[in-house]
Amino acid sequence: QADFAPYFYDNGPYSHNGNLALFSLSEDTPVGTQIYCLNGTDPEGQEVRYGLSFDPGSKEYFRIDPKSGNITLVKQLDREKQDSIDVLVSITDGQSKVVERVTIFVMDANDEKPEFQNMPAFIDVLETTESGSSIYKVEAVDRDTGSGGSVTFYLQNPQSTLFAIDRHSGVLRIKSGEMLDYEKTKTHFVTVIAKDGGGNFNGKEQFMSSSATLTINVIDAQDTPPSFIGTPYFGYVYEISVPGSEIFTVVAKDGDVGNPNPVCYSFDGAGDDGVFSINKTSGCITLLTLPIYLKREIFNIKVKATEVSPEGRLLDSGVTTVVIRVVDLNNNPPTFYGENGPQNMFELTMYEHPPEGEILRGLKITVNDSDQGANAKFNLRLIGPGRMLRVVPQTVLNEAQVTILVEDSAAMDYETHHFLTYKLLAVEIDTPERFSATADIVIHLLDTNDNAPKFSSDYYIARIPENSPGGSNVVSVTATDPDSGPWGEVKYSIYGSGADLFLIQPASGIIYTQPWASLDAEVRSKYNFYVKAEDTEGKYSLAEVFVTVLDLNDHPPAFNDNFLETTMVIGAPVKIEAVDDDAEVPNNVIEYAIMKADPDNNIFDINADTGEIMLKSYIKSMAIIQNITKKRDCTWSLVVQARDRGQPSFSTTAVVKIDITEATQLSGGPLGSFLMQSRNKPLKILGMLGGVICLMVTVTVIISTATFMRNKKSNRILPNRRVRRRPRKQNAWNLKNPFKSPEASGEKFKVAEEEREPEVIVENVNYNNNVNNVSNVVRHWPPPPPPCAPSLPPPPSTYIPGERQWVVPTVSATVAPRPKKKPGIIRQDTVNNALVSELKMRLEQKKMLKH
């Protein structure tokens, strides 16, 4: 069976699919672009593969995918270097291979700038060259094709130059109507721009240009007359000048600076009156006669400078004017005069702070300059501290009377300057010598009472302990008055609502308390008042004084009563409270502690901050307490101490009697529970009873009103009802639960009151247990007797199955009202008394146990 070779499709030019026949590519195509796809087939339908190769030694610009035939650009094209690329393309079916040579044409893109062929350049042009003349031809080449290769020429800043260029030919000319001038500009720099016609590059229209500089040197020509240097000219003839003195020298140069000719000088006209002469070569003008013979004060002399050729011929010339002034010689400086002739020291005595604008009439000063004209013109200046004074006039011609004015009255202060020293300066203005003269002015100031006393601070803060005795120093205030003599003496006084307890020494400013004053921080801890500092004429200033009375720990804690009774339910704390009358922390901060508990010390805890007394955490029932004490008595006596945190610290003790009971559900129901819980709060019980009575009265009124309204409508007369009062039974309190159905009589609860122990009266005495050197405290009560044996518990109630009958003991707790006045304090040795009392109590307890 025959095997036919594969073949390419020939899709013709401008196709991107086929065998690359007549394919063209722009040189600005980016690297990596897929530019073509080889396409062919095999007659037998076999799979074909494509290939691409280059001649040996040539650049490989493309890469092919054998399967798809996609051709990718891998190197940048440049038409200016290579405008066509020969490529061998092949197709094979695995057995037969067909190879074709094709040419890819590289198309131009506008990527080249015009290049100058004869730039930069330097040319010489004679300054007499006519306008419109061609002086140079600029050439430039662009390697691009089409419009991108065409070049046009332009000048940078054409309006500011003397030249013009032909856009197409590049011929540079002098502008019409313009001339070169060597004397003005010797060199011209012309920037020429070559621009192409534009073309496509990377899909956009692009114009490219280049620039180069042409340097034009102007050649000088003899076409300019001489010119004078340094005009205008002024010369002076002084009164001491002699014949032959040099008055002035003129200088001229040929205007053609490139190749100048020599210059000769002469007078043009007769303005010199024959009294001056000029040197032809140097231009020096001299005086021919004495100044006293000069008939005029000002001479205007015309001087001509003529250019001389190398052959000696007189060429172009220039003329200028020299002004010669006859002036007085400046040989006299300014001089100051007083009433008796020349004087350079002036003194004056005056009060401080004179009115602004006032003339210092005590100063009589005259200034004079004996010269004439400008030599006698000078300025006056006053040099000294600040700008207190001003001199008038400031500019003087020949002679003037000097006036000194006050400009800053506040600055003329005796407290700042006892005397002021100024220098009066006269300086000539327009003379080269600048002669000057000075005079000293001394002003002695006299003091006035122009200052009020001033405190060292706007307010003073003082602190004083509350136990300070009368007449104690509080604070010292200070005010100063800068005035002199009696005007500077300060007198102090105080006033205000807070000044009643204080006095001040008028001379020293020491503030102290009244002899009878007793400061108490608990009564009033803050005082503020005003202190006044006043001089002899009544000028004064004020300051505020703030006095803080420092709290001392002078009040011990105090209980409402030294013997307290209360009932404690197991699981609930009992709170006691003491009050400290001190004003500040920590003097009024109280800590609580149990000093002693009887009959057992290890059953109670107390919160040191709140005073709450509670049972130990492990005590949950009455049985535990009875097991600890081996007694059935549930009454405890505690000695509780309240101590403040002040320095020194004070403390007070109180005896607290506590009856301990268990929290139980009373047989009387909710009402019984309420009454039991409120047995020590009679006001709460009365309030509840009052509320019940009010409710019953309200219900009765409503029922009566309804009945009346019904009878009124029916017009019936009802018989009167008699209200029979039943005799009141004098029975004990037997309360039934109104919310519970009646049961057996055993559901009643009983209230049994225990026998009250003898009351121990303890006087609340203020003393400090932490201070050794204190007075003994006299206790007005005998040592407490030993506690009585606890009473027997109430007999157990008859047990009824299904019911629990509780017998609740009641404990009365009385809190005496706090006395208005504290008992007097007689300080004794509190530590010894406490120890003796404690020993007595222990001995009596041991005797009771033996019996």
Side-chain angles (χ1 to χ4, degrees):
Q1 183 178 358
D3 181 21
F4 295 97
Y7 60 89
F8 285 106
Y9 295 123
D10 187 2
N11 292 330
Y14 308 111
S15 173
H16 291 78
N17 191 318
N19 62 347
L20 277 175
L22 299 176
F23 181 70
S24 61
L25 185 65
S26 178
E27 65 175 331
D28 60 351
T29 303
V31 174
T33 304
Q34 181 180 329
I35 62 172
Y36 201 84
C37 181
L38 293 180
N39 193 7
T41 186
D42 181 64
E44 288 79 24
Q46 296 291 331
E47 182 181 2
V48 296
R49 288 184 174 273
Y50 303 97
L52 184 145
S53 62
F54 297 86
D55 292 333
S58 61
K59 290 184 178 181
E60 297 183 1
Y61 286 95
F62 310 104
R63 183 175 62 244
I64 188 169
D65 185 351
K67 289 186 178 181
S68 64
N70 291 332
I71 299 175
T72 304
L73 179 65
V74 296
K75 285 188 179 182
Q76 185 65 47
L77 302 174
D78 190 351
R79 187 201 65 82
E80 286 72 29
K81 294 181 180 179
Q82 186 176 355
D83 59 357
S84 64
I85 304 171
D86 290 333
V87 181
L88 297 175
V89 296
S90 63
I91 184 172
T92 179
D93 60 359
Q95 296 181 2
S96 301
K97 183 177 183 180
V98 177
V99 179
E100 295 183 6
R101 176 182 289 274
V102 295
T103 300
I104 298 175
F105 299 99
V106 180
M107 307 303 292
D108 185 43
N110 189 23
D111 60 342
E112 296 290 333
K113 293 182 179 181
E115 296 180 359
F116 288 97
Q117 302 298 308
N118 56 351
M119 295 283 280
F122 298 87
I123 61 173
D124 296 330
V125 181
L126 191 64
E127 67 172 333
T128 57
T129 303
E130 296 181 359
S131 62
S133 301
S134 301
I135 58 175
Y136 193 72
K137 182 176 182 181
V138 180
E139 296 179 0
V141 176
D142 193 324
R143 295 191 297 170
D144 290 322
T145 61
S147 62
S150 63
V151 180
T152 53
F153 300 95
Y154 303 91
L155 293 182
Q156 190 177 26
N157 300 326
Q159 275 70 22
S160 60
T161 183
L162 302 177
F163 306 95
I165 193 170
D166 187 88
R167 295 179 55 186
H168 303 289
S169 65
V171 174
L172 185 68
R173 294 182 174 85
I174 299 175
K175 281 184 181 180
S176 179
E178 299 288 348
M179 292 292 294
L180 301 179
D181 190 347
Y182 177 85
E183 285 70 33
K184 291 183 179 179
T185 306
K186 297 178 182 180
T187 304
H188 297 270
F189 300 96
V190 179
T191 301
V192 182
I193 299 173
K195 185 177 181 182
D196 63 18
N200 190 39
F201 183 76
N202 289 334
K204 295 182 181 179
E205 184 76 11
Q206 175 172 279
F207 294 88
M208 304 193 73
S209 62
S210 299
S211 62
T213 301
L214 175 65
T215 302
I216 301 173
N217 296 319
V218 181
I219 306 301
D220 188 28
Q222 291 295 330
D223 60 348
T224 305
S227 61
F228 287 93
I229 300 173
T231 58
Y233 294 142
F234 297 94
Y236 298 94
V237 177
Y238 300 100
E239 58 181 344
I240 60 171
S241 299
V242 297
S245 300
E246 295 182 1
I247 304 303
F248 196 80
T249 299
V250 298
V251 179
K253 291 186 178 180
D254 187 1
D256 301 312
V257 294
N259 187 20
N261 288 323
V263 177
C264 69
Y265 304 95
S266 62
F267 287 147
D268 186 17
D272 59 339
D273 287 351
V275 296
F276 301 102
S277 64
I278 187 170
N279 187 296
K280 293 182 179 182
T281 304
S282 64
C284 180
I285 301 174
T286 57
L287 180 64
L288 299 179
T289 184
L290 292 172
I292 59 175
Y293 297 112
L294 298 179
K295 299 179 180 179
R296 289 186 290 171
E297 185 178 352
I298 296 176
F299 292 86
N300 293 316
I301 302 173
K302 293 187 178 296
V303 178
K304 181 168 67 173
T306 305
E307 185 179 348
V308 180
S309 67
E311 296 81 15
R313 292 185 297 106
L314 298 179
L315 302 177
D316 294 336
S317 62
V319 179
T320 188
T321 300
V322 179
V323 178
I324 298 177
R325 180 185 299 272
V326 180
V327 296
D328 175 52
L329 183 64
N330 186 25
N331 53 0
N332 293 295
T335 306
F336 292 101
Y337 295 89
E339 294 181 335
N340 300 319
Q343 187 176 337
N344 57 7
M345 178 71 178
F346 299 89
E347 291 189 76
L348 176 66
T349 300
M350 60 185 297
Y351 284 102
E352 62 177 339
H353 304 305
E356 293 186 1
E358 181 177 341
I359 298 174
L360 304 186
R361 303 187 182 278
L363 296 176
K364 296 181 179 180
I365 307 172
T366 304
V367 63
N368 174 269
D369 191 327
S370 301
D371 292 318
Q372 300 296 322
N375 292 336
K377 188 176 182 181
F378 53 92
N379 284 338
L380 287 177
R381 285 186 295 172
L382 198 59
I383 302 174
R387 295 185 177 180
M388 305 179 198
L389 304 177
R390 178 168 56 93
V391 63
V392 177
Q394 295 183 350
T395 303
V396 179
L397 182 62
N398 290 118
E399 185 175 316
Q401 184 75 29
V402 179
T403 301
I404 307 287
L405 303 177
V406 176
E407 190 163 278
D408 188 354
S409 175
M412 299 183 68
D413 190 1
Y414 175 83
E415 287 71 32
T416 305
H417 309 280
H418 287 5
F419 61 91
L420 303 173
T421 301
Y422 284 86
K423 279 192 176 296
L424 184 59
L425 179 64
V427 182
E428 292 179 348
I429 300 174
D430 298 326
T431 62
E433 295 82 8
R434 303 280 291 182
F435 289 143
S436 63
T438 59
D440 293 327
I441 298 177
V442 179
I443 300 175
H444 300 275
L445 295 177
L446 301 177
D447 191 23
T448 60
N449 188 20
D450 58 331
N451 292 286
K454 185 176 181 181
F455 282 97
S456 59
S457 176
D458 293 334
Y459 57 89
Y460 295 88
I461 298 176
R463 296 173 178 85
I464 183 171
E466 64 177 343
N467 63 350
S468 299
S472 298
N473 289 347
V474 178
V475 67
S476 177
V477 300
T478 304
T480 56
D481 191 327
D483 291 322
S484 62
W487 294 322
E489 296 176 359
V490 180
K491 182 180 179 182
Y492 301 95
S493 59
I494 59 175
Y495 67 94
S497 59
D500 298 338
L501 297 181
F502 303 94
L503 296 174
I504 189 171
Q505 294 181 5
S508 64
I510 297 175
I511 298 175
Y512 56 96
T513 58
Q514 294 271 11
W516 48 264
S518 177
L519 301 178
D520 191 347
E522 289 74 36
V523 177
R524 181 174 180 180
S525 62
K526 302 289 183 182
Y527 297 88
N528 71 293
F529 49 88
Y530 291 95
V531 59
K532 179 179 180 181
E534 185 176 10
D535 63 16
T536 55
E537 289 189 353
K539 292 188 176 183
Y540 67 91
S541 61
L542 301 176
E544 194 166 3
V545 179
F546 298 88
V547 179
T548 301
V549 180
L550 299 178
D551 180 46
L552 298 179
N553 193 20
D554 55 352
H555 292 85
F559 292 98
N560 287 339
D561 197 344
N562 292 95
F563 184 83
L564 306 175
E565 288 184 308
T566 184
T567 301
M568 175 183 287
V569 178
I570 295 178
V574 171
K575 184 176 181 180
I576 64 172
E577 185 176 4
V579 179
D580 194 315
D581 287 337
D582 286 313
E584 297 178 2
V585 174
N587 296 336
N588 58 7
V589 177
I590 300 176
E591 293 180 344
Y592 300 91
I594 298 176
M595 305 302 294
K596 183 179 178 182
D598 186 67
D600 193 293
N601 281 325
N602 195 25
I603 191 172
F604 292 100
D605 286 330
I606 188 168
N607 189 313
D609 296 325
T610 63
E612 290 183 345
I613 302 174
M614 64 201 75
L615 293 171
K616 297 283 186 180
S617 59
Y618 60 85
I619 298 177
K620 305 294 185 180
S621 66
M622 293 286 292
I624 297 174
I625 300 174
Q626 294 170 358
N627 187 34
I628 292 173
T629 61
K630 306 300 182 181
K631 297 179 181 181
R632 302 189 61 83
D633 186 12
C634 301
T635 302
W636 253 255
S637 293
L638 278 69
V639 178
V640 179
Q641 181 191 66
R643 177 182 296 275
D644 60 29
R645 295 184 182 178
Q647 291 295 331
S649 177
F650 290 101
S651 64
T652 302
T653 59
V655 177
V656 182
K657 181 179 179 182
I658 299 177
D659 293 333
I660 303 176
T661 184
E662 284 187 302
T664 57
Q665 179 65 37
L666 300 177
S667 61
L671 180 58
S673 299
F674 171 78
L675 293 175
M676 186 60 196
Q677 293 174 2
S678 305
R679 65 185 184 277
N680 292 328
K681 300 177 181 179
L683 293 179
K684 189 173 182 181
I685 297 174
L686 291 176
M688 188 272 292
L689 293 177
V692 172
I693 293 172
C694 290
L695 178 62
M696 295 175 64
V697 170
T698 303
V699 172
T700 303
V701 171
I702 293 173
I703 294 173
S704 301
T705 304
T707 304
F708 174 76
M709 294 302 295
R710 185 186 63 181
N711 294 339
K712 187 176 180 180
K713 289 182 180 179
S714 61
N715 293 323
R716 290 186 298 174
I717 301 175
L718 299 179
N720 293 331
R721 295 182 181 181
R722 292 182 179 179
V723 179
R724 295 182 179 180
R725 299 181 179 271
R726 293 181 180 181
R728 181 180 299 178
K729 295 181 179 181
Q730 304 295 330
N731 294 333
W733 288 86
N734 293 325
L735 301 178
K736 293 184 179 180
N737 187 355
F739 305 102
K740 192 174 182 181
S741 59
E743 296 180 0
S745 59
E747 294 180 10
K748 300 178 181 179
F749 65 90
K750 301 177 181 180
V751 179
E753 183 175 358
E754 294 182 357
E755 294 182 1
R756 179 177 300 179
E757 293 184 2
E759 227 175 28
V760 180
I761 301 174
V762 181
E763 183 180 355
N764 185 9
V765 182
N766 296 329
Y767 61 91
N768 182 2
N769 290 340
N770 291 338
V771 182
N772 295 327
N773 298 324
V774 296
S775 302
N776 294 329
V777 177
V778 178
R779 298 175 183 261
H780 299 282
W781 43 271
C788 300
S791 60
L792 294 177
S797 61
T798 307
Y799 175 73
I800 301 176
E803 295 183 2
R804 294 184 66 184
Q805 184 174 3
W806 302 92
V807 178
V808 181
T810 61
V811 180
S812 61
T814 60
V815 179
R818 187 173 183 179
K820 293 184 180 179
K821 286 190 176 182
K822 297 182 181 179
I825 300 176
I826 304 175
R827 301 200 168 185
Q828 295 180 357
D829 190 351
T830 58
V831 177
N832 296 333
N833 287 347
L835 293 175
V836 172
S837 299
E838 187 175 355
L839 290 174
K840 289 181 178 181
M841 290 175 63
R842 289 185 179 181
L843 291 174
E844 293 178 2
Q845 287 179 359
K846 289 181 179 180
K847 291 179 181 180
M848 293 293 295
L849 291 175
K850 289 178 180 180
H851 293 296

